[in-house]
């Protein structure tokens, strides 16, 4: 009986920790994704201002490992891309973020990049001359951030599991001791 009580208390604590960890990872992913999209939107505006002041020279000097920049003409022809050869790229007029930018001034989308083969978030804005400046970032950055927190989370789970086992053992003893003291011959 003591083992059953101990096991049920410990199992309840462990299941609660695992569920809470999963919930935390989901919330973290959503928050990081939202932060990433807001950052890309802001950076697109900053890059557009730099381009309007200095032209394509600015885009060529712009070096970033995290954000991809693409300049697209009003007819969908890729004029510049920071990660791929524009001449080898197909027309971008059918891209949702490009269409939206042409129609409303800005657009965003999330999909699998044909060039990179990875899930990517895009933000595009229409420039004064009618061309489109698009920035993008892969969601691998979000996954990497969440995955980087896994070892620390596992360490916390292990520490709480040990603490839970100690508390479960103590509580089991407090429950069982009065039961063991009952005189069954003369209750």
């Amino acid at each position: 009986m003591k083992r059953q009580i101990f096991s049920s208390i410990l199992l309840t604590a462990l299941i609660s920790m695992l569920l809470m960890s999963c919930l935390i990872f989901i919330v973290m992913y959503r928050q990081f994704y939202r932060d990433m999209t807001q950052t890309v939107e802001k950076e697109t505006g900053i890059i557009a201002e730099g381009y309007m002041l200095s032209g394509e020279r600015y885009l060529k000097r712009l070096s970033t490992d995290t954000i991809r920049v693409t300049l697209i003409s009003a007819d969908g022809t890729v004029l510049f891309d920071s990660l791929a050869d524009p001449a080898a790229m197909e027309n971008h007029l059918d891209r949702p973020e490009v269409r939206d930018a042409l129609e409303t001034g800005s657009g965003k989308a999330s999909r699998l990049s044909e060039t990179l083969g990875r899930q990517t978030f895009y933000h595009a804005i229409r420039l004064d001359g009618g061309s489109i400046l698009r920035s993008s970032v892969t969601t691998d950055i979000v996954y990497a951030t969440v995955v980087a927190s896994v070892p620390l989370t596992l360490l916390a789970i292990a520490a709480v599991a040990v603490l839970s086992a100690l508390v479960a053992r103590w509580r089991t003893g407090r429950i069982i001791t009065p039961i063991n003291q009952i005189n069954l011959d003369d209750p």
Side-chain angles (χ1 to χ4, degrees):
M1 184 157 148
K2 184 175 183 177
R3 186 181 307 256
Q4 287 175 328
I5 293 171
F6 174 79
S7 297
S8 63
I9 292 172
L10 186 59
L11 185 62
T12 302
L14 292 176
I15 289 173
S16 298
M17 283 187 301
L18 290 175
L19 289 175
M20 184 60 79
S21 297
C22 290
L23 181 63
I24 288 170
F25 282 128
I26 290 169
V27 169
M28 278 176 51
Y29 175 82
R30 293 180 80 178
Q31 181 64 41
F32 285 134
Y33 188 83
R34 185 172 50 241
D35 290 348
M36 177 197 66
T37 58
Q38 290 173 350
T39 300
V40 170
E41 290 175 19
K42 288 177 186 173
E43 286 188 17
T44 304
I46 293 168
I47 294 169
E49 287 180 29
Y51 172 74
M52 295 305 283
L53 291 172
S54 302
E56 199 169 313
R57 283 181 310 156
Y58 176 77
L59 298 180
K60 289 179 182 175
R61 285 192 324 231
L62 187 69
S63 69
T64 175
D65 296 332
T66 58
I67 194 164
R68 178 182 179 190
V69 179
T70 308
L71 181 63
I72 306 160
S73 69
D75 68 355
T77 305
V78 177
L79 304 172
F80 172 84
D81 190 276
S82 61
L83 292 181
D85 179 17
M89 299 174 76
E90 68 276 357
N91 190 291
H92 278 40
L93 201 56
D94 64 337
R95 305 296 202 277
E97 70 280 2
V98 173
R99 274 195 325 262
D100 290 347
L102 284 170
E103 293 172 10
T104 65
S106 71
K108 54 186 168 183
S110 182
R111 67 176 177 285
L112 189 66
S113 168
E114 293 176 20
T115 307
L116 300 177
R118 298 182 353 208
Q119 185 68 24
T120 306
F121 174 77
Y122 299 93
H123 185 258
I125 56 175
R126 184 180 62 227
L127 302 174
D128 291 339
S131 59
I132 304 296
L133 183 77
R134 181 182 75 174
S135 296
S136 61
V137 66
T138 62
T139 55
D140 294 346
I141 295 168
V142 176
Y143 294 129
T145 304
V146 172
V147 168
S149 66
V150 169
L152 186 58
T153 303
L154 291 176
L155 181 64
I157 287 173
V160 172
V162 169
L163 183 62
S164 296
L166 293 173
V167 169
R169 187 171 166 193
W170 173 69
R171 291 300 301 160
T172 301
R174 296 210 26 147
I175 292 170
I176 294 297
T177 301
I179 294 172
N180 286 339
Q181 291 176 350
I182 295 176
N183 183 351
L184 295 177
D185 295 330
D186 186 23

